[in-house]
Amino acid sequence: MKKYIANILTATRVVLSIFLLVFYDKVDVSFLIIFTIAAFTDMIDGTIARKTNSSSLTGSILDTIADVLLSLNIMKVAIISGLLQGTLLVWLIFIFVVALISPVITYIKFKKVYFVHSILAKIVGGLIYAVPYSIYFNFFNTYLIFVLVMFSLAMIHSLFINIFSKEADSNTKTLLSAIKNNKKTGDEC
């Protein structure tokens, strides 16, 4: 049973995210409660998978699907609320295009599709999870610009990690560590 806990948590995030997508058009207290539970599963599922030695490709794919679904909730409520429009929406779409280039690069270079889980990407994930609260407490516009800047930097950082890495590793934490690993790999050859 222990080895399934992480995937059960991730699957719970998928179900909660779909529920929010189908039944909610605005951020209210009940949305925040469900969203917070879903976000919490994202914070602990990877750690549990590693501690129970149950990390798997299936879990990793499920985690990415769950993250995308939860992020779609944020976009949906922001767009429906009229808060995400014009230049900010174009900027966000551009970031997603850059984000989708990364796994294309990994497939071309390593015949594997994955997203880099860098430190910066994890920080941005936390910042993104605070967006519904910024909507609810009415400080969305200022906060969103900060999040978009950080999101842009994280996606460009991930792109460079994939470009400069010589080995496929979704857990590369920084560009510097990718370059350092390249030097180690080069020394061994």
Side-chain angles (χ1 to χ4, degrees), residues 2-59:
K2 265 187 182 179
K3 70 179 189 173
Y4 299 111
I5 293 172
N7 284 348
I8 290 168
L9 287 168
T10 307
T12 300
R13 188 163 71 258
V14 169
V15 170
L16 291 174
S17 296
I18 292 170
F19 180 81
L20 289 173
L21 277 171
V22 172
F23 294 108
Y24 283 85
D25 290 335
K26 64 181 175 133
V27 176
D28 61 14
V29 173
S30 60
F31 176 96
L32 289 176
I33 291 169
I34 296 167
F35 183 87
T36 302
I37 293 167
F40 182 70
T41 67
D42 188 31
M43 292 178 209
I44 63 172
D45 61 353
T47 302
I48 289 173
R50 285 184 292 280
K51 290 207 185 268
T52 59
N53 207 19
S54 60
S55 297
S56 67
L57 179 60
T58 302

Side-chain angles (χ1 to χ4, degrees), residues 38-116:
F40 182 70
T41 67
D42 188 31
M43 292 178 209
I44 63 172
D45 61 353
T47 302
I48 289 173
R50 285 184 292 280
K51 290 207 185 268
T52 59
N53 207 19
S54 60
S55 297
S56 67
L57 179 60
T58 302
S60 178
I61 292 168
L62 187 62
D63 186 62
T64 300
I65 291 168
D67 290 347
V68 168
L69 287 171
L70 199 55
S71 297
L72 286 174
N73 278 291
I74 298 168
M75 286 181 56
K76 176 187 170 188
V77 295
I79 291 169
I80 289 174
S81 302
L83 297 170
L84 188 58
Q85 54 188 335
T87 306
L88 294 177
L89 183 57
V90 171
W91 187 359
L92 183 62
I93 291 168
F94 176 75
I95 294 169
F96 275 111
V97 169
V98 171
L100 293 175
I101 291 171
S102 249
V104 171
I105 290 171
T106 64
Y107 183 76
I108 291 168
K109 285 181 74 174
F110 308 116
K111 302 296 182 238
K112 293 181 179 182
V113 175
Y114 64 84
F115 290 91
V116 173

Side-chain angles (χ1 to χ4, degrees), residues 101-116 158-172 178 181-182 185:
I101 291 171
S102 249
V104 171
I105 290 171
T106 64
Y107 183 76
I108 291 168
K109 285 181 74 174
F110 308 116
K111 302 296 182 238
K112 293 181 179 182
V113 175
Y114 64 84
F115 290 91
V116 173
S158 293
L159 193 63
F160 279 117
I161 287 172
N162 286 328
I163 289 169
F164 289 105
S165 290
K166 290 187 179 176
E167 294 181 356
D169 182 6
S170 65
N171 291 311
T172 301
N181 288 340
N182 289 346
T185 305

